Amino acid sequence: MLVFFNEEFPSLLPPLSAAVGDEDARNLHDAAHKAKSAASSAGAVPLAALLAGIEADAGSGEWSDLGTRVAAVVEEYARLEAFCRNENDGN
């Protein structure tokens, strides 16, 4: 499951950033929902929680804050991906 997650999840990140850059609340909500569902299915609870917050606040118009939170999602995914890679390498 985690291998599939790590193969597929990166493709869910660009739509989040694009929606923030375009200040597109609908697309941000939809992208956050899709990514949250994937993170939840993989058991990535902190990542899913970040995405749930973005999904809930997508219509707030607070684009700077939402951009910071999308950046936090990217960082959390990188941390999770590194952890999985280390676990697979036996470190």
Side-chain angles (χ1 to χ4, degrees):
M1 178 68 156
L2 287 178
V3 172
F4 178 75
F5 175 75
N6 281 328
E7 289 173 355
E8 298 300 319
F9 192 82
S11 69
L12 302 177
L13 297 173
L16 288 166
S17 298
V20 169
D22 295 341
E23 296 186 356
D24 185 332
R26 181 87 232 145
N27 281 339
L28 180 59
H29 176 275
D30 293 349
H33 178 79
K34 186 173 182 179
K36 177 194 74 177
S37 296
S40 294
S41 293
V45 175
L47 185 58
L50 286 169
L51 289 157
I54 293 169
E55 179 184 12
D57 296 339
S60 71
E62 298 293 329
W63 295 107
S64 178
D65 177 59
L66 289 164
T68 299
R69 291 160 66 187
V70 167
V73 165
V74 172
E75 289 174 21
E76 178 62 19
Y77 173 70
R79 187 192 67 73
L80 177 62
E81 192 273 332
F83 173 80
C84 291
R85 187 176 53 249
N86 288 336
E87 287 295 308
N88 285 337
D89 291 343
N91 295 327

